[in-house]
Every structure is written in structure tokens, then in C-alpha cells.
Amino acid sequence: MDVGDQQSRELVFAALADQVRREILDTLASHGECSAGFISEHISSVGRTTVSAHLKALKTSGVLVERRAGRNRFFSIDPAGPANDALQFLRDVLERSLVAAQTSNDSPGTGQADGAESEAGARRRA
């Protein structure tokens, strides 16, 4: 992976780390392209100015694209942008983890006494 891809991924993860930004993404996923005002109306935890700042951060990270129509700005999720690369990274990590967990459960002597499941593994499957 080149440095530019890694920096893009870091921006995406930083953007997604904020709860308000995830709420914005949820609104866009539910409604499609939305105006900044519409998004602000659906995010009750912060004011309009704060929503605008979060929209700018999401746009800068490449998660959102913006379309201007006169004085209005409309936002939508960019499914082909860096967020897709970050999602693929997470998929790869989770798949490798599942394969490793399956392999360790199938082979004897993996450090678990008498084949008993680890407490964390039992919680995940509960």
C-alpha cells in the first residue's frame, strides 16, 4: 500500500471516530443526497454550525461528496472513495481473524485448557 492510500485511510478512520459524523452518515444512508439544512434538522445533539464543521471534515476525508446548486449544498456518501478502501481493510482484518480463530479452535494444544473456549470467544458467540 502506498503512503497516499494509508493517509486517506487514516483520514477516514479519524472522520468516523466521531459520533456526530456517524449520525450524519446514517442520515445520508437513510435519505440519500441531502442538503446541509436537512442534515442539521436530523442531528439534534449539536447545532447547525457544528454540523457544517463535521460535514467539512467528512468531505475533506473523502467520505462525502458535495454538490452545489445556487446557495444550497447537497451532500452524499461517496461509495467509491477512501471509505471503501477503509471498509475493505476492515473486511480483510476480520476475515483473517475469523480464519485464525477457526484454525486455533481446530488444532490441539492452542493454549486453551482441555479445549475450553476463551471467555472472549464465548461472549462473541453469545
Side-chain angles (χ1 to χ4, degrees):
M1 167 185 358
D2 80 11
V3 175
D5 289 342
Q6 184 162 349
Q7 288 173 339
S8 293
R9 187 186 302 157
E10 294 296 326
L11 281 173
V12 170
F13 283 127
L16 298 178
D18 187 274
Q19 176 61 33
V20 173
R21 293 179 190 156
R22 292 191 304 270
E23 288 179 43
I24 290 170
L25 290 173
D26 187 53
T27 299
L28 290 168
S30 298
H31 299 282
E33 182 181 64
C34 299
S35 69
F38 181 88
I39 295 167
S40 294
E41 291 170 7
H42 285 80
I43 309 297
S44 60
S45 60
V46 296
R48 186 180 188 115
T49 304
T50 304
V51 168
S52 291
H54 285 295
L55 286 168
K56 181 178 180 181
L58 287 165
K59 182 182 159 200
T60 300
S61 72
V63 173
L64 299 183
V65 291
E66 177 185 6
R67 180 179 65 84
R68 292 182 182 256
R71 291 180 30 187
N72 296 314
R73 297 183 308 160
F74 295 91
F75 295 90
S76 59
I77 297 172
D78 183 2
N84 191 27
D85 296 336
L87 179 60
Q88 187 59 48
F89 169 78
L90 288 174
R91 280 186 189 130
D92 292 346
V93 167
L94 292 173
E95 285 176 9
R96 286 195 315 268
S97 175
L98 290 171
V99 167
Q102 183 63 41
T103 302
S104 67
N105 287 338
D106 290 345
S107 46
T110 59
Q112 295 180 0
D114 297 325
E117 290 188 60
S118 71
E119 184 177 330
R123 278 188 301 223
R124 279 194 302 267
R125 287 185 273 291

